[in-house]
Amino acid sequence: MNDRLAQPFQQPKTREIAERMAEDVKGRSLWADARRRFVANRAAMVSVVVLTLIVLFSLFGQIISEYDIETIDWDVLGNVATAGKPSIENGHYFGFDENGRDLYNRVVQGSRISLAVGVIGALVAVIVGTIYGATAGFIGGRVDSIMMRLVDIFMSIPYMFVLILLLVVAGRSITMIFVGIGLTAWLDMSRIVRGQTLSIKNREFVEAAIAIGVPTWRIIIRHIVPNLLGVVVVYATLLVPQMILTESFISFLGLGVQEPFTSWGALLSEGTKTMNYGTLWHLAFPLFFFVVTIFCFFFIGDGLRDALDPKDR
Amino acid sequence: MNVQSPLLSVRNLKVWFDIKRQGAMPWTPTDTLKAVDGVDFDLMPGETLGIVGESGCGKSTLARAIMRMVPAEAGTVLWLGDDLLQLNHHDMREHRKEMQMIFQDPLASLNPRMTIGQIVAEPLKTHHPGLSPSEVKDRVREVLDRVGILPNMINRYPHEFSGGQCQRIGIARALIVKPQLIICDEPVSALDVSIQAQVINLLMEIQEEMGLSLIFIAHDLSVVKHISTRVMVLYLGNVVEISEAAQLYRSPGHPYTEALISAVPIPDPTAEASKEVMILDADLPSPLNPPSGCVFRTRCPIAGPECAETKPPLSDRGNGQQVACHKR
C-alpha cells in the first residue's frame, strides 16, 4: 500500500518537478529587465557595435600599417594635393597630411587620445560627482547648503577661460587637459545626484535601513547609490561626447595636445586650414570618426535612458 | 495590578518641528508645529498597544521619535531603564536590534535593487557581523519559512511579489534579529481586507510565539480592536484616552473616542443604515496653531468655558481607563 502511494513520486517527470521546486528560484532584477529592453533597441545596439569597432580601431589600428605618426615623407611634402591622395596600394590608406606624414596612423592615434579624454573625463566626473552629491543630499541641512553653495561658486567661474589659462600657464599637455576638464565636469553631475538622493532619501526602504541601525556610509553605498545608478549611467554616456567636444574645441584653438601627438580636434583644425587646396581628406577622415562616435554615444545614452526608466518614455 | 515592570515607558514626549513660512527671511522666527505634544504611556512585555487617531495627529511621528528617527524636543523614552533619547549613536545602535519597525507601504519599504534574501539578511549582518554567510542564509530561510514565504524565493526581487507577500517579507526582516518590540506603522492599511486579516493573524501568532510587544498604529478601529490589549487615542499630538481595548469599545470615555467609534462601519447593511453616527463640527484645527486649553474643544459637543482655560490632564477612571477631559 505504501509502495503504491509512493509510486507517483518515482515517475521521472514528477520527480524532476519536485526537485526543481526545491531549488532556489532565480529572480529577475531590475538590471536584467533594463538589459532586455536595451538589447531590443536597434539603434542603440548598432551604436554599441559601431563604437566597439571604433575603439578597436583606435587601439589596434596601427597594426595593419607599416608607417608611424611622425615620419615625414619628403617626396610628398609640398605636393600633398596630388601625390598624397589616399591609396590602398602604397599603404597610406588615408593619404598624407599637410606635413607629409601618414594620416591613417595619425587618425588612429588621435582617436585614442580623444576617446581617452572622453571616457576618463566622464569617469572622474561620475565618481567625484556621485560621491559628492550623494553625501550632500543624504546628510542634508547645513552640510548640504555649504557643499552645494561651493558648487554654485565653481559653476559661476567661466570654465573655458580657466581651462585656457591653465594650459597657457602650465604648458600644453594631455595631463593638463585631464585636470582642467576633470575640475569642472563633476559639478553638473553632483547637482543631478544630489537631487536624486533627496528623493530617494525619503523613500521607506531608506527609513527602514535607518530603523534597523545600518551605518550611514552603508546606507549610501547599498541603498542610495544603486538606486541612483540609472540616472548616473545615462548622464555619463551623454557626458563622454561632451568631453570629446570640449577637448576638440581646445585643440582646435591650438591649445590641446602637443605635437607630434594629435587628437580629433587637432586633426580637424589642420583639415579646415587646408580644405581650400583640394586636400579634403584631411578633413573628411577625422570628421567621419568624430561624428560617428558622438552619434553612437547619443544613441546609446538614449537607449539606456529608455531601458532604465521605461515610465518616462 | 501588574507587577511586571514596563518594557517601554514614555514620559512627556514632545516632537516639535520648525516650519519656515513661505518667503520668510533667514532671521524671521520660524513657526513651531507641535506634532507630538507631551505623550505619556507604558508598554508591558508581551502587550499590544494600539494607537489610533485621524491623519496628521502624530501617530507616525510618535513611533519615529521612539525609534529616534526624528529628534524629540523634550521628554524621556525609557527602554528597560535606559533613556533612548540620551544615548549616543553607538549605544543606540546596540538597542536597535531589540526594537524593529514594519512600514505602511510594503513595496516601498523594500529596496528594489536587492533580492529579498539580502533585504531580510540586512539586520542580521548589521547587528551580528561575525556570522558566516551560510549561517546567515540558514537564518533567513528559517524566518522566511515562518512568515509563509517559500524559502527558495530568496533570490527574487521585491517587484516580483504581491503586496501581502512584501509585507510578510517586511515582517521577516523585523523578526530576524529576535526583537522584543515591533512598531507597526499602519502595516495593513495598504493591503486589501482578506490580506489584512492574514497579516494581522500572522503578527498575532508570532507575538504569541516570541512573547513580543507590539505598538500597532492604525486608523482602522476594527483592526485595532482585534489585535490590541490596550488602545491609545491621539488627537493633535495629545493623548485623549488610554484604555483596555474592550473597555474602550464598550464605554468610550472621551467625546472624541465616542465620535471615532460611532463612525466605524458595521458589516450589516440594516444595522449600518439605522446606526447613529456622531458627526463632529468643523475641521481638524491646524497643528501650527492649536486651540488653547483642551485641543479638542473647538469640535467638542460638550465643551464648556473651563475647557478653553486649562489643558485637562489624563485622569484614571478605573477599569484601566484614563481619560483627558474636564467634563467627564
Side-chain angles (χ1 to χ4, degrees), chain A residues 25-37:
Chain A
V25 183
K26 214 172 146 14
R28 188 197 267 163
S29 70
L30 295 181
W31 294 119
D33 261 354
R35 193 161 53 232
R36 214 167 37 91
R37 279 193 292 272

Side-chain angles (χ1 to χ4, degrees), chain A residues 21-31 33 203-205 207-216 218 222-223 226-227, chain B residues 64 67 69 93 96 100 103-105 108-114 122-123 126-127 137 141 152 154-157 159-160 173:
Chain A
M21 278 181 74
E23 274 170 33
D24 285 354
V25 183
K26 214 172 146 14
R28 188 197 267 163
S29 70
L30 295 181
W31 294 119
D33 261 354
R203 301 262 293 274
E204 276 192 342
F205 65 84
E207 260 197 341
I210 296 172
I212 287 166
V214 180
T216 309
R218 271 249 304 270
R222 299 252 302 171
H223 295 277
N227 284 289
Chain B
R64 277 164 176 68
M67 296 291 285
M69 288 156 70
R93 190 160 292 151
R96 284 199 194 277
Q100 291 288 313
F103 294 87
Q104 178 172 11
D105 185 339
S109 68
L110 308 176
N111 186 342
R113 305 277 174 193
M114 285 161 79
E122 189 162 51
T126 305
H127 293 294
K137 210 171 172 186
R141 281 167 185 276
N152 63 3
I154 53 169
N155 290 327
R156 291 212 160 202
Y157 290 84
H159 64 269
E160 298 173 294
R173 169 172 63 186

Side-chain angles (χ1 to χ4, degrees), chain A residues 227-278:
Chain A
N227 284 289
L228 283 174
L229 232 46
V231 185
V232 170
V233 166
V234 171
Y235 187 70
T237 46
L238 298 176
L239 203 59
V240 174
Q242 201 184 315
M243 298 285 105
I244 293 175
L245 285 168
T246 309
E247 190 278 333
S248 299
F249 180 66
I250 294 288
S251 295
F252 196 86
L253 293 179
L255 284 166
V257 287
Q258 194 78 267
E259 289 282 357
F261 296 107
T262 189
S263 73
W264 284 337
L267 286 168
L268 287 174
S269 161
E270 284 163 26
T272 48
K273 275 180 215 149
T274 58
M275 59 192 274
N276 288 337
Y277 310 145

